[in-house]
Amino acid sequence: DVKVTQSSRYLVKRTGEKVFLECVQDMDHENMFWYRQDPGLGLRLIYFSYDVKMKEKGDIPEGYSVSREKKERFSLILESASTNQTSMYLCASSLIRDLNIQYFGAGTRLSVL
Amino acid sequence: GDSVTQMEGPVTLSEEAFLTINCTYTATGYPSLFWYVQYPGEGLQLLLKATKADDKGSNKGFEATYRKETTSFHLEKGSVQVSDSAVYFCALNSGAGSYQLTFGKGTKLSVIP
């Protein structure tokens, strides 16, 4: 069965901390995505990666960076967390030939205090 | 730019009622259209899709028809069950090499026995 695993379901961090959100997929997918999900705003794409060490900015990359050192793992980094980054973060993956069929993890709910 | 507009929720229905969730879109080119569903505590998963005008996507009793003339992709089900309680997202990919899915804000459906 297809699986996208996000390392934490809930995280609480302090303003100014460096935060790492980890995502691992076991489907050998080329594409991986990070979204944030906020009430009334739906899903917004933060970053996309189509290969190891490759990345593209999405709609809201400010305040975030990403790392993809291995095909199965895609990390989202908040260099200096701020309260407006409190949100639900969703990771997804897809095959390169069918990027519209995305498989999502269960999400990490991050609270920045 | 591309956009997806869904009916505001939440929607509360009794079991066996008829469901319609409206979705309209704005896009350049010839987009592909999708419905994703997010069950409580889980990540999003693809429910159905349609890739060209007049296509009908269907899955698990849900249907949606790609109407180019009205730029719509409304989700319907003839008889909802309690297990259909979830958040439903309409999405599009505008094609032409785009890697990005554009999501609507989501519609929360609650089905009561």
Side-chain angles (χ1 to χ4, degrees):
Chain A
D1 204 12
V2 160
K3 200 150 188 176
V4 178
T5 303
Q6 295 184 231
S7 55
S8 305
R9 286 290 275 139
Y10 301 94
L11 271 180
V12 180
K13 297 293 182 181
R14 297 256 178 227
T15 302
E17 278 192 77
K18 190 169 185 175
V19 181
F20 292 86
L21 302 183
E22 307 286 347
C23 175
V24 177
Q25 51 96 2
D26 65 359
M27 297 162 285
D28 202 34
H29 284 173
E30 295 87 0
N31 298 330
M32 295 189 76
F33 307 81
W34 275 107
Y35 296 88
R36 64 178 280 176
Q37 182 181 14
D38 298 290
L41 296 177
L43 274 73
R44 294 178 291 167
L45 182 66
I46 305 172
Y47 267 99
F48 160 64
S49 170
Y50 54 91
D51 200 353
V52 173
K53 297 191 187 297
M54 306 306 289
K55 62 185 179 184
E56 295 281 346
K57 292 180 180 178
D59 295 323
I60 52 165
E62 296 78 17
Y64 303 94
S65 61
V66 290
S67 172
R68 192 157 178 211
E69 297 296 320
K70 293 184 178 181
K71 189 176 185 180
E72 67 270 18
R73 187 180 297 270
F74 192 34
S75 302
L76 181 69
I77 303 156
L78 287 65
E79 294 288 342
S80 179
S82 63
T83 55
N84 64 11
Q85 292 178 309
T86 291
S87 186
M88 172 68 86
Y89 291 88
L90 297 176
C91 176
S93 71
S94 76
L95 289 167
I96 201 161
R97 66 175 183 268
D98 204 348
L99 63 86
N100 297 309
I101 301 179
Q102 295 182 18
Y103 296 84
F104 284 79
T108 296
R109 185 166 294 283
L110 173 67
S111 296
V112 183
L113 307 178
Chain B
D2 299 340
S3 67
V4 175
T5 303
Q6 292 181 232
M7 61 186 290
E8 293 283 330
V11 174
T12 302
L13 294 174
S14 297
E15 209 165 18
E16 298 183 3
F18 186 85
L19 169 71
T20 300
I21 300 178
N22 290 337
C23 171
T24 57
Y25 67 90
T26 303
T28 54
Y30 301 93
S32 296
L33 302 173
F34 307 87
W35 278 100
Y36 275 79
V37 58
Q38 185 178 31
Y39 297 104
E42 299 182 13
L44 280 73
Q45 55 186 275
L46 180 66
L47 180 60
L48 54 85
K49 66 176 183 176
T51 57
K52 60 183 188 296
D54 300 324
D55 268 2
K56 178 185 282 189
S58 61
N59 187 24
K60 298 182 181 180
F62 290 88
E63 292 183 341
T65 301
Y66 187 162
R67 302 284 189 203
K68 192 168 176 63
E69 64 277 12
T70 54
T71 62
S72 65
F73 192 54
H74 305 321
L75 183 68
E76 296 182 335
K77 187 175 186 183
S79 176
V80 294
Q81 305 300 313
V82 172
S83 56
D84 295 325
S85 298
V87 182
Y88 292 83
F89 293 89
C90 187
L92 72 81
N93 179 293
S94 61
S98 172
Y99 59 79
Q100 189 158 341
L101 277 174
T102 299
F103 286 88
K105 295 180 180 180
T107 303
K108 184 175 182 178
L109 170 67
S110 296
V111 180
I112 55 177

